[in-house]
Amino acid sequence: MSVAVAVTDSPEGRTALDSAVAEARALNTGLLLINLTLHDLTDDEIPRHLEVKLINRSGRGDRDPVTAVLDELRDHVAEVDRLVLGVRSRSRVGKVLLGSVAQRLILRSPVPVLTVRVPEAAKKR
């Protein structure tokens, strides 16, 4: 089995990656890293001492992020036992106007979802 993580260009994405790495190490399993950033991850960003399968999107023109993650989860459903997502609080208006990638993934994921918040100390940086 493995732990999947959707990594974005945000503090939530960084927190999700850190939490997924800790979860994979605790479970002694691999990591399915779904890169939703708009850049290739560097060697420093990819965890060491862990079996990592990296899936990159090709940029803004490549599928909606929710569709991309759900497609990958469905393709790897036999090997993934949870998805780790970083989340943040949003106003009611923000939810209505912008929607929420995390919310849509939580509701549609074919595997259980572990959500993690950015620690307060990281928000102040």
Side-chain angles (χ1 to χ4, degrees), residues 1-120:
M1 296 309 271
S2 63
V3 173
V5 60
V7 179
T8 60
D9 282 317
S10 68
E12 294 83 15
R14 181 77 236 170
T15 299
L17 179 56
D18 292 344
S19 298
V21 168
E23 191 78 2
R25 286 187 175 139
L27 296 170
N28 196 28
T29 190
L31 185 67
L32 177 66
L33 198 162
I34 305 167
N35 181 10
L36 299 179
T37 70
L38 297 177
H39 69 277
D40 289 338
L41 295 178
T42 65
D43 288 341
D44 292 342
E45 294 173 293
I46 298 171
R48 294 186 180 101
H49 310 296
L50 196 60
E51 181 183 331
V52 177
K53 181 172 188 173
L54 175 62
I55 298 171
N56 284 304
R57 289 188 350 158
S58 60
R60 287 188 191 274
D62 180 18
R63 301 176 289 174
D64 168 64
V66 173
T67 302
V69 172
L70 292 175
D71 286 350
E72 296 305 334
L73 288 175
R74 288 185 187 109
D75 288 349
H76 298 90
V77 73
E79 63 195 71
V80 172
D81 61 358
R82 71 194 68 189
L83 169 65
V84 179
L85 292 176
V87 296
R88 63 182 167 94
S89 297
R90 298 185 31 223
S91 70
R92 287 186 202 164
V93 173
K95 289 178 188 175
V96 171
L97 293 176
L98 302 174
S100 169
V101 169
Q103 181 176 345
R104 290 169 37 209
L105 285 170
I106 291 165
L107 295 173
R108 297 179 186 169
S109 175
V111 298
V113 179
L114 171 64
T115 60
V116 293
R117 287 186 339 190
V118 176
E120 287 298 319

